[in-house]
Amino acid sequence: MDVFVYGLLLLTLSKCVVSKSPHIVFIVADDLGWNDVGFRNPDIISPNIDYLAKNGMILNNSYVQPVCTPSRNAFLSGFYPFKSGLQNFVIVPWAPSCAPLNRTFLPQTLKELGYATHMIGKWHLGMCKWECTPTYRGFDTFYGYYNGKEDYFNYTIFNHTDFRDNKEPTRPYEYSTYAYARRADKVITQHNKSQPMFLYLPFQSVHEPIEVPEIYENMYKNLKNEGRRKFSGMVTALDDAIGNVTDSLKRNGMFEDTLIIFTTDNGGSPKYFGNNYPLRGGKTTVYEGGTRASSFVYGSGLQKPNTVFDGMIHAVDWMPTIISAAGGAQVRGTDGLNMWPSISEGVPSSLRSEFIYNLDDSEFPIMGHAAIRIGDYKLIEGFAGVYNGWYPVPENETVTERDDPKVAYYQLYNVKEDPTEHNNLYTKEHSMLKKMKERLEEYKKYIVPPVSMKPDPASNPNNYNGYWTPGWC
């Protein structure tokens, strides 16, 4: 065969080959603050997180919801919480509720694309019936707990155990961060390498209770405040676990073909020693400290590593973005936008120009009544959350008493020029205030009532050998 013709044949064949879908590891840290990572705060020891962030792409304007359940629902469904009944707070263990069952979750779509799907860690999207739980919502395997928080060593919440290996009740006998890293290694090692893998890894860390093995606390002897010392140790334990996961990917020849996504579910809690300084507020608020996430991507598909991406991305965007990275079709009908072309190519994006921080018209809007972002501007209407000040890292043995400022009913900020939300423009920017109020009213038409949090006696773990167990609603 003529060499030229042979070359053309090879070129044609190469164009017909479908690119291999990457393995995807989606890591969610719990209650990790803006100032709780080493790549922003040199006092934090997080070499693995820092390496992945600095050698990948730091997402400088990545937004989440003010608390756990709403963010997790947004990650997996692509819908805003106010359209899902999850805008008021988190799903509590005794609530006869869960994330809407009529929504397709991310792992369900990935399974259709040929992925093996695994979840390790915290669910917190409801568990009153089995249909609400991970293995019924697209995950091949599940190893973790259903509810929002529990003891890191004995796996109990409200004096009853909450832990499952798939559907079977169990209890590891080690610090939970160790247990999750150990299971991740097992999943990765046993994975069929010819099949793409999706590993959703929402760690318990660093949510309260503030518990950590002494070896990690001792790494921060320079910190006088005990709570902050232990919390910082928890971050380093989390970082070690992430290092163990990346080591496992390397040992199994999968690391170079893996896309790693890292985000927190909400900002740090000042009450439990998380820190978002210099951003305002914290967990449970619609201020930047409660909603602007420490986040990055690393690995397969990134054309411009070692960069910072300044485009806005919201929690609802992760579902269509991950599906696109996996080679799937454009997702339609959700609130999410596919940010993968911009992220993968490292090009500026104006695709996401607005989003809702929260909308909650109930009597007690625990995590903020209403807030919207349009371009560089942010409008907060009414109650913004219980932490509305600025909270430096505690430097003494005791935490200084809070001195939160009084706030106006409307707060309007140019977040690009004023990311710490000091300068309320609502009496100056009249046209912008009017525009954003009108847009907020449009979104309010789509609010659905919050799911029920009414305690159901049928949920009592004493009915199930002391385990929090589905099957009662």
Side-chain angles (χ1 to χ4, degrees):
M1 183 183 295
D2 184 271
V3 174
F4 178 72
V5 175
Y6 182 68
L8 285 176
L9 178 62
L10 287 178
L11 180 62
T12 302
L13 289 173
S14 69
K15 290 182 178 180
C16 294
V17 175
V18 178
S19 61
K20 180 182 178 182
S21 296
H23 306 299
I24 301 171
V25 178
F26 187 12
I27 301 171
V28 178
D30 200 341
D31 290 7
L32 186 73
W34 182 260
N35 197 36
D36 290 332
V37 286
F39 62 86
R40 289 202 183 95
N41 180 354
D43 292 334
I44 294 293
I45 305 168
S46 56
N48 297 294
I49 289 173
D50 299 349
Y51 176 85
L52 295 172
K54 292 176 181 179
N55 290 279
M57 177 181 286
I58 296 173
L59 305 176
N60 213 33
N61 287 284
S62 179
Y63 285 87
V64 289
Q65 298 300 133
V67 292
C68 310
T69 295
S71 285
R72 292 158 200 273
N73 178 72
F75 293 151
L76 296 181
S77 74
F79 283 92
Y80 285 124
F82 72 89
K83 294 183 179 180
S84 308
L86 300 172
Q87 66 270 39
N88 186 247
F89 199 47
V90 299
I91 296 177
V92 292
W94 47 82
S97 305
C98 66
L101 295 176
N102 62 343
R103 301 267 171 80
T104 300
F105 267 18
L106 171 61
Q108 293 173 299
T109 302
L110 289 175
K111 281 176 68 70
E112 294 174 359
L113 296 174
Y115 275 76
T117 58
H118 306 279
M119 178 183 169
I120 300 169
K122 170 178 169 176
W123 179 238
H124 210 189
L125 288 172
M127 44 72 69
C128 68
K129 61 176 69 175
W130 285 109
E131 289 81 1
C132 299
T133 60
T135 54
Y136 288 78
R137 307 221 62 177
F139 288 103
D140 295 327
T141 68
F142 169 63
Y143 184 77
Y145 63 110
Y146 292 137
N147 292 297
K149 66 175 183 179
E150 63 181 10
D151 190 280
Y152 282 75
F153 292 96
N154 65 27
Y155 301 89
T156 60
I157 174 174
F158 300 114
N159 300 314
H160 295 289
T161 305
D162 180 15
F163 206 88
R164 299 275 160 166
D165 189 345
N166 294 318
K167 293 173 63 176
E168 293 301 313
T170 187
R171 181 187 297 189
Y173 291 93
E174 60 182 339
Y175 187 60
S176 74
T177 312
Y178 298 164
Y180 298 141
R182 194 181 306 278
R183 176 51 64 98
D185 177 56
K186 180 178 179 180
V187 166
I188 293 166
T189 301
Q190 294 181 351
H191 176 69
N192 176 0
K193 307 306 186 288
S194 65
Q195 181 183 19
M197 177 192 73
F198 175 62
L199 174 58
Y200 176 49
L201 191 51
F203 280 96
Q204 178 179 0
S205 307
V206 285
H207 196 290
E208 54 95 6
I210 305 303
E211 299 173 333
V212 72
E214 189 175 2
I215 185 174
Y216 288 104
E217 181 182 355
N218 288 342
M219 294 180 182
Y220 293 91
K221 290 182 178 179
N222 59 309
L223 298 181
K224 295 180 180 179
N225 184 278
E226 180 184 5
R228 182 62 183 177
R229 188 166 63 244
K230 289 183 176 180
F231 179 94
S232 300
M234 293 169 74
V235 176
T236 302
L238 168 65
D239 183 79
D240 275 359
I242 291 172
N244 290 339
V245 171
T246 57
D247 286 346
S248 181
L249 290 168
K250 292 172 183 175
R251 284 197 311 274
N252 285 278
M254 297 167 63
F255 185 71
E256 297 301 324
D257 298 320
T258 298
L259 174 66
I260 297 173
I261 300 165
F262 177 94
T263 182
T264 183
D265 62 344
N266 47 251
S269 170
K271 181 178 180 180
Y272 294 108
F273 310 102
N275 193 260
N276 309 294
Y277 198 77
L279 300 182
R280 185 175 187 174
K283 179 182 178 178
T284 74
T285 79
V286 291
Y287 290 112
E288 297 295 283
T291 57
R292 193 170 177 180
S294 290
S295 183
F296 62 81
V297 291
Y298 173 93
S300 180
L302 287 186
Q303 297 178 27
K304 293 183 180 179
N306 313 104
T307 57
V308 175
F309 183 73
D310 284 320
M312 285 194 293
I313 181 169
H314 188 270
V316 296
D317 298 331
W318 281 120
M319 182 198 186
T321 298
I322 289 173
I323 289 171
S324 178
Q330 182 73 33
V331 176
R332 307 287 182 185
T334 71
D335 297 312
L337 299 174
N338 174 18
M339 302 298 294
W340 182 240
S342 297
I343 290 174
S344 62
E345 296 171 16
V347 296
S349 172
S350 59
L351 182 62
R352 169 65 69 188
S353 60
E354 70 177 54
F355 63 84
I356 292 293
Y357 288 85
N358 198 40
L359 278 181
D360 184 2
D361 58 1
S362 60
E363 185 177 1
F364 301 106
I366 297 171
M367 57 180 194
H369 167 59
I372 185 173
R373 175 79 174 267
I374 300 179
D376 296 338
Y377 285 85
K378 172 180 181 177
L379 175 65
I380 301 174
E381 178 184 272
F383 182 65
V386 294
Y387 292 97
N388 62 18
W390 298 264
Y391 311 100
V393 174
E395 295 181 356
N396 301 313
E397 293 183 14
T398 57
V399 178
T400 305
E401 187 174 342
R402 284 166 44 197
D403 184 21
D404 295 343
K406 293 181 179 180
V407 297
Y409 186 79
Y410 287 110
Q411 299 177 67
L412 178 65
Y413 301 101
N414 184 321
V415 178
K416 184 175 182 179
E417 295 180 358
D418 179 26
T420 58
E421 298 171 290
H422 277 86
N423 186 21
N424 188 357
L425 302 172
Y426 88 106
T427 60
K428 301 176 182 178
E429 298 273 5
H430 299 290
S431 61
M432 180 58 69
L433 178 64
K434 181 177 183 294
K435 173 185 176 181
M436 297 186 77
K437 286 170 66 176
E438 290 174 350
R439 188 72 178 123
L440 202 53
E441 291 303 314
E442 286 296 314
Y443 278 106
K444 288 180 181 179
K445 296 175 182 178
Y446 300 97
I447 295 178
V448 301
V451 298
S452 173
M453 294 296 169
K454 185 178 180 180
D456 189 328
S459 66
N460 192 333
N462 290 327
N463 299 329
Y464 304 97
N465 297 316
Y467 278 82
W468 292 99
T469 300
W472 47 267
C473 76

